[in-house]
Amino acid sequence: MATATTPTAAPVNRVSRRRWFSEVGWRHVVGVVAVVYAAFPIVYVLSASLNPGGTLTGSNSLFSEVSGANFAELNGTYFWTWVRNTLFIGTVTAVGTVLMGAAAAYAFSRFRFTGRRVGLMSLLVIQMFPQILAFVAIFLLLLGLRNVVPVLGLNSQIALICVYLGGALGVNTFLMYGFFNTVPRELDEAAKIDGATHAQIYWTIILRLVAPILAVVGLLSFISSFSDFVIARVILQSEQNWTLAVGLYGWVSSLLEANWGLFAAGAVISALPVLLLFMFLQRYIVGGLTAGAVKG
């Protein structure tokens, strides 16, 4: 005797697909659109860098012409000098920001002293104003310092590093201060019972536990100094001392002599240091507080 089958599988399947799309599927659609939106400028710049025409309008047809002429032409410019200058300034700024910010955050987090609350509030207020607002005052200050201490005057990379460190100290100190507060004070007390000094606790215990925030601050500081244009253009005056942002802008600042192919080739190469640094620090950024304590 044959049994009749009920057609319930198809409606259930349609309902499950509809539910999957309403809960999860739409996120995949948004993700694909975001990836395409973010990747298209990168693909366009890469196509322009491989186009020997040197114009952006000639790159509208992606990869219509492929040549390494623009990259070879970089060797006849100051490009690699700008790369060295930018890496030096960015690295020193990132390391100095991490060391100075971590020391200040540790002091605010672990010690109680007169002016502590006022200092924290001052940092909170100062970080509301971007450093670019003070570029006129910075120019006049360095102009006067050049007559007294030339290494800290205009057209000095050391002076630019000092300006970056001063501008980044407030916001990064306040950012790391909140992370330092998440480290239990019982660790400090246990280390003191074992005879450890404040310096030993700071260098051997605390810094290992706050490695994620140190990586984030170092990466953000490197990127901000790497891509800064206004402050670097005001301070660095000779072409040999320029950074990548200033030098690449110089190639396209004149509309009649703009070489967008050379600019695109330099932009592709200049993106590699930031990408490599992010990939290197990624395991520290995604690492949590517990992971740092266990690895210590």
Side-chain angles (χ1 to χ4, degrees):
M1 182 177 178
T3 59
T5 58
T6 57
T8 59
V12 171
N13 192 19
R14 284 197 297 268
V15 172
S16 62
R17 289 180 180 177
R18 198 173 298 166
R19 181 178 179 182
W20 174 85
F21 183 82
S22 63
E23 295 180 357
V24 180
W26 67 272
R27 302 180 184 179
H28 295 274
V29 176
V30 174
V32 171
V33 173
V35 170
V36 173
Y37 181 79
F40 179 76
I42 300 176
V43 174
Y44 190 87
V45 170
L46 183 60
S47 174
S49 67
L50 297 175
N51 192 319
T55 60
L56 289 182
T57 56
S59 302
N60 290 338
S61 300
L62 297 179
F63 302 103
S64 59
E65 297 184 47
V66 177
S67 173
N70 291 324
F71 292 94
E73 192 176 348
L74 292 176
N75 295 326
T77 65
Y78 283 107
F79 177 77
W80 298 111
T81 302
W82 299 338
V83 170
R84 289 192 296 269
N85 296 340
T86 306
L87 290 177
F88 170 73
I89 294 173
T91 302
V92 175
T93 301
V95 174
T97 300
V98 170
L99 294 178
M100 295 172 60
Y106 177 74
F108 281 117
S109 176
R110 288 299 190 265
F111 301 110
R112 297 295 180 267
F113 50 88
T114 304
R116 173 179 172 274
R117 185 178 298 275
V118 176
L120 288 174
M121 291 301 299
S122 300
L123 291 177
L124 182 61
V125 173
I126 290 174
Q127 71 179 358
M128 297 172 59
F129 302 94
Q131 192 179 22
I132 193 175
L133 295 178
F135 74 92
V136 175
I138 292 173
F139 175 81
L140 296 177
L141 176 63
L142 298 182
L143 185 63
L145 281 176
R146 184 172 60 178
N147 300 326
V148 182
V149 186
V151 73
L152 294 179
L154 289 176
N155 200 30
S156 171
Q157 297 180 11
I158 302 299
L160 181 61
I161 293 173
C162 292
V163 172
Y164 285 155
L165 290 178
L169 184 60
V171 59
N172 290 322
T173 299
F174 200 83
L175 179 64
M176 285 189 278
Y177 165 76
F179 203 92
F180 271 79
N181 288 337
T182 63
V183 180
R185 295 180 179 271
E186 288 76 8
L187 295 176
D188 299 39
E189 297 174 358
K192 291 178 182 179
I193 293 176
D194 292 336
T197 62
H198 288 294
Q200 291 173 331
I201 295 173
Y202 173 74
W203 290 106
T204 61
I205 298 177
I206 302 298
L207 288 187
R208 296 186 180 184
L209 296 177
V210 298
I213 194 62
L214 298 183
V216 171
V217 169
L219 178 63
L220 295 179
S221 178
F222 182 85
I223 293 176
S224 63
S225 60
F226 194 92
S227 59
D228 176 69
F229 170 76
V230 176
I231 302 297
R233 185 65 183 89
V234 170
I235 296 177
L236 303 177
Q237 298 178 334
S238 62
E239 193 173 1
Q240 296 86 349
N241 289 336
W242 282 357
T243 59
L244 277 172
V246 180
L248 293 181
Y249 174 77
W251 286 344
V252 295
S253 59
S254 177
L255 297 179
L256 299 179
E257 301 177 0
N259 192 332
W260 290 100
L262 201 63
F263 174 87
V268 170
I269 296 178
S270 62
L272 295 179
V274 177
L275 178 62
L276 294 176
L277 182 62
F278 177 80
M279 294 177 63
F280 174 75
L281 295 178
Q282 188 176 10
R283 61 191 182 98
Y284 296 101
I285 295 174
V286 301
L289 184 62
T290 305
V294 172
K295 292 181 181 177

